[in-house]
Amino acid sequence: MNAARAFIVSALFAIGGLAATAQTRTIYSDTADAHHDIAQALVTAQHEHKRVILDFGGNWCGDCQVLDIYLHQEPNLDLLNNNFVLVHVNIGRYDKNTDIAQKYQVPLQKGVPGLAVLDARGRLLYSQKNGEFEAMRKMDPESVTEFLNKWKSSPKA
């Protein structure tokens, strides 16, 4: 029983540490021009034969913070860097860049983070319809790995 209690306490401290780390990070820029950033990402994606991930969220969102941490842990970081161009789209308090979310069929009312995947030409391949990552704090990094593996480009034949 004491070992189980120690495990639970250490797990809670680890989760608390992750949340504390997450709360101090700025991911979504207040001054970025998301339209321009997406256009630039598409140019890069075409040149590097990658796809684009649009990550809709806000710095206030704990689940968005955790997603970003998971994206930047191995093996996710390699998958991300080798296959995608990531664009963070700041939604403010659900009052910024809502036109972009609508264009890419990401229903912000279902929660954030909200993701969309585009091919290098800007064609929508996937949009999160049901807030799949909205409870990211309860998910593990492997869920992000699965997502990245599913949506990375197929190798050229």
Side-chain angles (χ1 to χ4, degrees):
M1 187 89 154
N2 287 339
R5 185 179 308 197
F7 174 78
I8 291 170
V9 169
S10 66
L12 289 173
F13 278 120
I15 291 169
L18 183 63
T21 300
Q23 290 176 357
T24 62
R25 301 171 72 238
T26 299
I27 299 166
Y28 305 91
S29 171
D30 286 332
T31 59
D33 178 345
H35 293 278
H36 177 264
D37 293 347
I38 293 168
Q40 287 301 116
L42 290 170
V43 169
T44 301
Q46 285 180 12
H47 179 71
E48 297 180 6
H49 308 287
K50 295 181 178 182
R51 291 186 170 170
V52 175
I53 294 178
L54 304 180
D55 167 24
F56 294 87
N59 293 316
W60 51 266
C61 169
D63 293 297
C64 300
Q65 296 281 339
V66 172
L67 173 62
D68 193 67
I69 290 169
Y70 287 172
L71 283 170
H72 291 91
Q73 292 176 344
E74 294 301 341
N76 297 335
L77 183 59
D78 278 342
L79 279 167
L80 183 67
N81 289 337
N82 292 329
N83 298 284
F84 300 96
V85 179
L86 177 63
V87 178
H88 297 290
V89 180
N90 186 359
I91 63 156
R93 295 284 180 178
Y94 295 97
D95 61 352
K96 291 184 179 177
N97 297 313
T98 56
D99 60 322
I100 299 172
Q102 187 173 29
K103 175 180 180 177
Y104 293 109
Q105 302 172 22
V106 176
L108 296 178
Q109 70 275 13
K110 298 279 186 173
V112 290
L115 300 177
V117 178
L118 314 177
D119 70 11
R121 299 198 187 290
R123 185 174 58 108
L124 180 64
L125 302 174
Y126 166 83
S127 64
Q128 207 174 293
K129 302 284 190 207
N130 297 307
E132 288 88 337
F133 288 131
E134 181 261 338
M136 196 75 238
R137 285 178 279 193
K138 297 177 184 174
M139 298 171 75
D140 57 35
E142 289 79 22
S143 60
V144 176
T145 306
E146 289 173 23
F147 177 84
L148 294 173
N149 276 318
K150 180 175 182 176
W151 291 106
K152 69 183 182 181
S153 295
S154 300
K156 302 275 186 224

